[in-house]
Structures are given as C-alpha cells and as structure tokens.
Amino acid sequence: TSVRTVNIFIFAVAAVVNVTVKAVITARRIKNSSQSVKINLKCLKSRCKLMKKAISLILSAAFLCSVFAACSDKSANGNTDDTSSQSNIELKITVDAHYASLDESSIKAYEKLCNAVLNYESEVKYNVSLSDDVNRLFYTSFPQYVLVDGIDFLDDNSGVKITYANDKETQESKLKEFNTDVSKIMNKCGYGKVSKDEYLLNVYSYIARNFTVDNSVTTVFDTVLQGKGMSSTLSGLFEYLLLQNDIKASHLINVDTTSIAKMISLADFKGQKYFFDVTSELEDNSGKALKYFAMDTKRAQTGSGFMFTDNSSPDEIDDDTYSKLSTSSSYKIENSKVTVDIKGADDFEFDLD
C-alpha cells in the first residue's frame, strides 16, 4: 500500500521564526520536487517521529464566563477581577479552519488519536493510509501533542501505538494544569456571556496584556503554563481560544521585509475574515491599542506575503473597515461598543454584535 509523501515543509517553516526568505523559497522547491514520491507504510513509521520534532511550535488553548472591557487581568479600565475564572471547562478537540475541509474520515481518525492521548492509551486503531492528514492535524491543532514521545504503526498496520513523555500520573497533572489555565482565560474573556466578536477582542487583548515574548518557549502548551512564548505559540494560543468558541481561525506565516518569518492569525470577525497579529500588539504597546487588529491584506502584509502551514496562500482581503486602527493609541469598551483613540484624528467607534 502506498500513500502521499508528508509535506515536511509545513512543519519546518512553522517551527522556525527567524527564517530567511531564501530558506522559505528553498523549502518550497524541496516540497515541489518531492511531491510525486510515494513511500510504503514502513517508511511512514520513521516519518511520524520526524513530524513530531519538526512541528515543535504550532498551535493551541481554551473556555467560559465574565464580561469585562477587554478581558484582561489589567482591563481596559485598569480593573482586576478573578471571580469569573473558577469554573473549569471541558476543552474541545479543535481543527484549524484551513483544514476543516479535509475528508471526514481523516478528521475522525485525528479525533480518535487525540482522545487516546488524553486518556493515556497505548494504541488506537484507524486507517493508517490517512496518516498524512492525521499527523498534520495532530501537530498543528492539538497543543497536547507535546505529551507524546512517539507514534509508530502497529505491526499489522491496523493503527498506531503511542509512547508518552511522562508517566500517567504526571501527564494527568499537566493536563489538569493546562485545562485550568485555559479555562481561566476563557472565563475572563466572557465565554458564553458575550458575543463571539466581543470574545475575540477580549482574547486578543488578554494575550497582548498578560503574556510576554520569549523565544525559548516553543509550544502552545508551555505558553499557557508559563505565560510567555514566541510569535508562533502566542498566535497559536489566540487561534486555539477562538476555535474553542467555534470562531474560525487559522495559522499563517508572514514573511516581512527583513526576511523574518512571523506567525499571525486569520480569523472571522463581524462576518468577515481579517488578519490579527497579537505578538506585534504585545511588543508594540502591551495591548493598550489595536494597531494590528482586524487587518486587511495591505495593512497586514510586511513583505513577500502570507502562507498557510501547508504552503498555500490565503485569498486577498480588501475590506479596510478597520484601517484607522493602525494609528490607535488606546481604546475602551462600554456596553459592547468600542471607542478607539486615534492619533491626530477623531475617535473611531464600532459595535461588537
């Protein structure tokens, strides 16, 4: 039996923040030249391990309660409130919106693998010819993948066996801490209490105000636990939190004019897709403004363009409704209306439906 070659570029480029444009182009050529190669199921065993190492920076986090003017320990009005952060939420197994159109059998196999990991199972049965799609989803949409040490095919190719990085008790403890921390964020951001648009703004604000940039933290899982991470994991956390609330979100690479590849997000807001760069907001103004919020292509693009983690490109976004936000200095939310202070111009307002 033969299957498609894994697109290793997907994971390599998403795992590297300080990558040059030349490296990106070279990776594309490698992808194109290897597209036609077919390998047997035995070769896939070693390929799964390679994927786990190469992807080590992609995405994920999540859920419930509270209505504050910017979902932050340091809210838009400077207030602090922890009363809404007590309830733990059962987190969903999410799928990056870009991959939501994959065959249903692939998504179901991915969900079986995720549930097996969450339950510390040693093996799971599914059609291993789906492994390309399953592994792509596993290492880009499921932050708990870091708990896994290895995935190999069963001898009869009826599924995979899983080895773990920790014993069962330690894994359960780590999952509990992760779920608790994610739930606190979602609770603070008004999950189930505010509209999805307001929740999105709250999540964006929360990350920009309460996390720090640290390129030594390379997974979304650890970013949640440590409160810091690189652009890949901070944007991945933003996306994961949105997906937990059924807001479509995807991970993108944005290669800027200095040949540096940064990760940004594409998400639905007010019925339209926009780009969001929560890491730049954090670095620029610690979340006080909305300079990198709800961007069209022209405003978001800083160099040679965007790529999804499978090397494809998103559609052009021409809607510049929120272009004035690029010169914002502060904002506040009152009764689901956002008022933004624009440097040298009148305030800009928009509603959160």
Side-chain angles (χ1 to χ4, degrees):
T1 307
S2 59
V3 298
R4 300 190 315 277
T5 300
V6 174
N7 184 352
I8 295 177
F9 171 76
I10 297 169
F11 311 112
V13 73
V16 178
V17 176
N18 295 324
V19 62
T20 63
V21 172
K22 184 182 287 187
V24 173
I25 294 171
T26 301
R28 281 177 169 175
R29 288 174 181 167
I30 291 172
K31 171 189 178 273
N32 291 335
S33 66
S34 64
Q35 199 105 42
S36 61
V37 180
K38 292 192 177 273
I39 59 176
N40 59 38
L41 289 173
K42 250 182 178 177
C43 295
L44 281 170
K45 294 184 179 183
S46 59
R47 195 173 61 186
C48 286
K49 289 184 176 180
L50 176 60
M51 273 192 239
K52 177 177 181 286
K53 293 176 181 176
I55 196 63
S56 193
L57 307 173
I58 299 274
L59 318 105
S60 288
F63 248 96
L64 203 140
C65 231
S66 170
V67 188
F68 293 109
C71 161
S72 173
D73 287 343
K74 297 176 285 185
S75 74
N77 296 319
N79 297 323
T80 301
D81 194 313
D82 291 322
T83 58
S84 64
S85 61
Q86 304 305 314
S87 302
N88 264 21
I89 301 163
E90 184 177 350
L91 303 183
K92 302 173 185 176
I93 295 172
T94 60
V95 174
D96 184 307
H98 181 61
Y99 299 115
S101 60
L102 286 176
D103 189 85
E104 185 179 0
S105 58
S106 294
I107 294 176
K108 286 184 176 180
Y110 156 69
E111 291 173 344
K112 288 182 70 173
L113 177 59
C114 293
N115 280 316
V117 170
L118 294 175
N119 291 301
Y120 207 81
E121 296 173 8
S122 60
E123 63 179 53
V124 59
K125 300 294 184 70
Y126 60 79
N127 184 349
V128 295
S129 68
L130 302 172
S131 291
D132 284 357
D133 288 343
V134 172
N135 290 325
R136 181 179 293 115
L137 291 170
F138 187 71
Y139 293 114
T140 60
S141 298
F142 186 63
Q144 298 92 327
Y145 83 86
V146 299
L147 301 171
V148 172
D149 184 57
I151 298 176
D152 293 285
F153 292 103
L154 295 171
D155 292 339
D156 61 0
N157 291 321
S158 62
V160 297
K161 56 184 176 182
I162 308 166
T163 55
Y164 293 93
N166 305 283
D167 58 47
K168 185 175 182 180
E169 183 178 356
T170 301
Q171 173 162 311
E172 288 176 347
S173 176
K174 285 178 175 289
L175 281 173
K176 182 178 180 180
E177 184 180 3
F178 177 80
N179 291 356
T180 297
D181 288 351
V182 167
S183 296
K184 285 180 179 178
I185 297 173
M186 296 187 70
N187 286 332
K188 286 176 178 291
C189 293
Y191 176 81
K193 299 292 184 180
V194 299
S195 70
K196 290 184 178 181
D197 292 331
E198 186 164 350
Y199 174 83
L200 182 150
L201 174 55
N202 288 346
V203 169
Y204 182 89
S205 173
Y206 186 93
I207 295 172
R209 294 180 179 206
N210 294 285
F211 283 74
T212 57
V213 175
D214 185 335
N215 290 333
S216 70
V217 182
T218 60
T219 70
V220 172
F221 193 90
D222 289 327
T223 291
V224 171
L225 300 187
Q226 298 181 36
K228 57 187 178 181
M230 60 200 310
S231 71
S232 169
T233 65
L234 292 168
S235 59
L237 173 58
F238 175 66
E239 296 143 19
Y240 182 69
L241 288 164
L242 300 190
L243 291 166
Q244 288 293 334
N245 198 17
D246 299 322
I247 300 171
K248 293 180 180 179
S250 296
H251 208 54
L252 285 149
I253 302 142
N254 187 12
V255 182
D256 68 21
T257 52
T258 59
S259 303
I260 302 298
K262 291 188 68 175
M263 306 301 174
I264 67 170
S265 306
L266 179 69
D268 286 0
F269 178 70
K270 303 280 289 181
Q272 168 67 45
K273 293 184 186 300
Y274 295 102
F275 296 107
F276 299 84
D277 188 350
V278 69
T279 307
S280 291
E281 200 77 71
L282 187 166
E283 293 177 314
D284 184 285
N285 56 74
S286 299
K288 295 181 179 69
L290 295 172
K291 291 183 178 181
Y292 306 92
F293 183 89
M295 299 182 288
D296 60 2
T297 297
K298 182 179 179 180
R299 184 170 146 224
Q301 189 165 305
T302 56
S304 59
F306 307 99
M307 292 179 291
F308 288 110
T309 52
D310 64 358
N311 202 25
S312 63
S313 299
D315 293 334
E316 188 93 1
I317 297 175
D318 298 320
D319 189 328
D320 63 353
T321 301
Y322 303 97
S323 59
K324 291 183 178 179
L325 296 179
S326 63
T327 56
S328 62
S329 58
S330 64
Y331 70 98
K332 62 181 179 180
I333 307 173
E334 291 181 355
N335 299 320
S336 296
K337 179 184 286 290
V338 183
T339 303
V340 187
D341 181 50
I342 306 297
K343 292 181 179 178
D346 294 337
D347 289 350
F348 177 73
E349 296 183 344
F350 60 93
D351 292 321
L352 297 168
D353 298 328

